């Protein structure tokens, strides 16, 4: 990332998310993303119902879950 001049990347492909954090969310058909900064902790954004499984992983402190039927903010 540094060589490309990037301070962070956003990963949305389920296979790439699994490769990076080892969590295979069954909600691949709903919006989810992994924010990977060059410095600091990664953040995984997923549905609230996926949080129950995701919290069983060692990286669960990176999880940010949204309640069901939460619309995306207009600037997302």
């Amino acid at each position: 990332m540094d060589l490309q001049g990037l301070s962070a990347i956003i990963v949305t492909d389920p296979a790439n998310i699994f490769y990076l954090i080892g969590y295979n969310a069954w909600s691949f058909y709903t919006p989810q993303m992994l924010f990977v900064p060059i410095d600091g902790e990664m953040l995984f954004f997923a549905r609230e119902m996926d949080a129950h499984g995701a919290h069983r992983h060692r990286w669960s402190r990176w999880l940010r879950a949204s309640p069901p039927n939460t619309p995306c903010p207009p600037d997302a």
Side-chain angles (χ1 to χ4, degrees):
M1 291 185 337
D2 192 35
L3 292 174
Q4 295 294 320
L6 301 173
S7 59
I9 60 171
I10 295 174
V11 181
T12 59
D13 182 88
N16 293 333
I17 292 173
F18 177 74
Y19 177 80
L20 291 168
I21 62 175
Y23 179 65
N24 191 14
W26 285 93
S27 61
F28 56 85
Y29 53 87
T30 63
Q32 59 183 0
M33 72 168 217
L34 179 65
F35 176 77
V36 184
I38 198 164
D39 293 314
E41 293 186 341
M42 295 185 287
L43 293 174
F44 178 53
F45 295 85
R47 296 182 307 168
E48 182 179 40
M49 66 188 320
D50 295 314
H52 301 292
H55 279 294
R56 289 173 171 70
H57 289 269
R58 62 178 177 78
W59 53 266
S60 65
R61 69 180 186 277
W62 306 332
L63 177 69
R64 300 295 180 267
S66 61
N69 302 318
T70 302
C72 291
D75 60 346

